[in-house]
Amino acid sequence: MSSSLLPLPLLLLLVLLLSTSTGTVQSEKQPKLKTDYYKKSCPNFAKIVQEVITDKQLAVPTTAAGALRLFFHDCVVGGCDASLLLGSSHSSPASERDHEINHSLPGDAFDVVIRAKLRLELECPGIVSCSDVLAEATRDLITMVGGPFYPVPLGRLDSPEPHASKIEGHIATPNMSLTKIIDMFSVKGFSVQEMVALSGAHTVGFSHCSEFANRIFNFSATEDHDPTMNPDYVDGLRKLCVNYKTDPTMAAFNDPMSPGKFDNTYFVNLQNGLGLLASDQILALDPRTKPFVDTYAKDQTKFFQDFAKGMEKVGMLDIKTGDKGEVRKRCDTPNTIKFH
């Protein structure tokens, strides 16, 4: 009978190997995002977010556009992990919010996420991540102003630190060349068509005069304005932005025809020289992007379908799960302050 038993040292080795192997398998099984992630742990998650965004959007109609920009700027720099919501501190002085390219992000966009998070912490403390709140709130706000509904998989974790050093070269600027913008999206796995569809986000929101002033004032030695722009549009913008140097808050709607509604008018505008930013107008002129602009201008359903798919894809960029992140108690502060 004793001859059938393994020697004790060999038995201990076998147990160690099995436990190590099991541990490896467990660590590789990262939680998968799913739309009903909070069904048991925070069943009122969707209802609470919906109530908060509705109140905020009704009070401040530009919230939807702001949240959309906040979501995109967060996701393309280090992933969808709410790192952009982190404020600067003694331990981490370099905040993404402090970078010049994010200065124009409206405070109401941050506020709607913080409000929803506070409500959720009262309902189910320590359960819902700020990154999931931002993703859900953005989708709900887009839908509220007329845009497409799309599923938002949940289960992201928040980054414990900002990615300020990664901002350069990951967010398009108004005067960036189209080739560079295409390359920027391509690196993240987006096709030219997906880039054009996502650019349709500019159907809502506004841009400060400083971002397009070079197109309407002293454009070149031979042209007083960008010749690709509608002359009447230029006249109106000049009157609006006449004092933009002394008042940097002056701004114009990205879509002058239906500024508060998410629709395909943005693309129709581009066909008529009503693109506010140079990086917008070029989409209707360059042969690499013009066919997609023309398609979306005549087919809003197609635009909505492609935009929704693009947003789902953006929402999955470099997500944090497992031990790669945390569920922040406060969206502007990591749970553990690391002093350097």
Side-chain angles (χ1 to χ4, degrees), residues 33-340:
L33 272 61
K34 50 187 180 180
T35 54
D36 63 348
Y37 185 84
Y38 297 111
K39 184 178 181 180
K40 294 182 180 179
S41 60
C42 193
N44 289 324
F45 163 74
K47 179 175 178 287
I48 290 172
V49 172
Q50 184 68 56
E51 288 175 353
V52 172
I53 70 102
T54 299
D55 289 345
K56 185 67 179 182
Q57 178 64 22
L58 290 175
V60 185
T62 56
T63 300
L68 180 49
R69 284 188 65 209
L70 176 59
F71 174 73
F72 190 80
H73 281 216
D74 179 59
C75 288
V76 298
V77 179
C80 301
D81 56 11
S83 58
L84 182 47
L85 276 69
L86 288 169
S88 55
S89 65
H90 294 298
S91 61
S92 181
S95 164
E96 290 176 49
R97 289 186 66 171
D98 294 335
H99 193 284
E100 183 181 4
I101 204 167
N102 289 323
H103 284 176
S104 62
L105 291 174
D108 289 303
F110 293 90
D111 183 63
V112 73
V113 177
I114 291 170
R115 285 172 182 255
K117 174 65 172 174
L118 287 172
R119 283 275 307 275
L120 289 163
E121 282 298 300
L122 292 174
E123 177 90 7
C124 33
I127 299 296
V128 180
S129 67
C130 299
S131 47
D132 275 349
V133 174
L134 176 56
E136 182 90 356
T138 299
R139 190 278 312 281
D140 287 353
L141 284 161
I142 290 171
T143 305
M144 187 175 175
V145 294
F149 179 90
Y150 54 90
V152 176
L154 303 165
R156 299 167 188 78
L157 291 179
D158 303 323
S159 172
E161 57 188 12
H163 311 300
S165 62
K166 300 178 182 177
I167 291 178
E168 294 294 337
H170 289 277
I171 299 175
T173 56
N175 297 305
M176 186 176 285
S177 73
L178 181 58
T179 296
K180 190 167 183 179
I181 294 173
I182 289 174
D183 290 344
M184 189 181 298
F185 274 82
S186 177
V187 167
K188 297 188 181 300
F190 292 89
S191 67
V192 173
Q193 182 166 5
E194 289 172 324
M195 182 272 289
V196 176
L198 288 169
S199 296
H202 283 178
T203 187
V204 290
F206 58 87
S207 296
H208 290 97
C209 292
S210 59
E211 296 180 279
F212 56 85
N214 64 317
R215 302 186 72 207
I216 61 176
F217 297 115
N218 304 315
F219 179 70
S220 69
T222 57
E223 301 277 0
D224 64 352
H225 69 270
D226 186 339
T228 67
M229 297 182 76
N230 181 299
D232 292 334
Y233 187 38
V234 172
D235 289 342
L237 290 173
R238 281 176 171 170
K239 292 175 183 177
L240 175 69
C241 298
V242 64
N243 295 318
Y244 82 95
K245 289 185 178 180
T246 55
D247 184 359
T249 64
M250 299 190 75
F253 287 118
N254 293 326
D255 175 359
M257 298 305 181
S258 55
K261 184 180 179 183
F262 196 102
D263 54 24
N264 69 330
T265 307
Y266 164 82
F267 295 103
V268 178
N269 291 342
L270 297 185
Q271 292 177 320
N272 295 313
L274 300 177
L276 185 62
L277 305 178
S279 54
D280 288 328
Q281 192 59 59
I282 191 62
L283 298 178
L285 304 173
D286 193 285
R288 293 170 292 181
T289 51
K290 185 180 185 300
F292 305 123
V293 170
D294 294 341
T295 295
Y296 296 146
K298 67 182 180 182
D299 191 343
Q300 180 169 281
T301 299
K302 174 63 173 170
F303 163 50
F304 276 20
Q305 289 172 344
D306 290 352
F307 180 82
K309 290 177 182 176
M311 287 297 288
E312 288 183 63
K313 196 169 175 179
V314 171
M316 297 301 290
L317 287 174
D318 299 319
I319 56 170
K320 312 295 185 294
T321 57
D323 60 356
K324 302 297 183 184
E326 62 185 14
V327 174
R328 265 183 241 142
K329 294 179 178 66
R330 286 183 42 154
C331 289
D332 62 351
T333 309
N335 291 342
T336 303
I337 305 295
K338 299 177 181 178
F339 293 95
H340 300 285

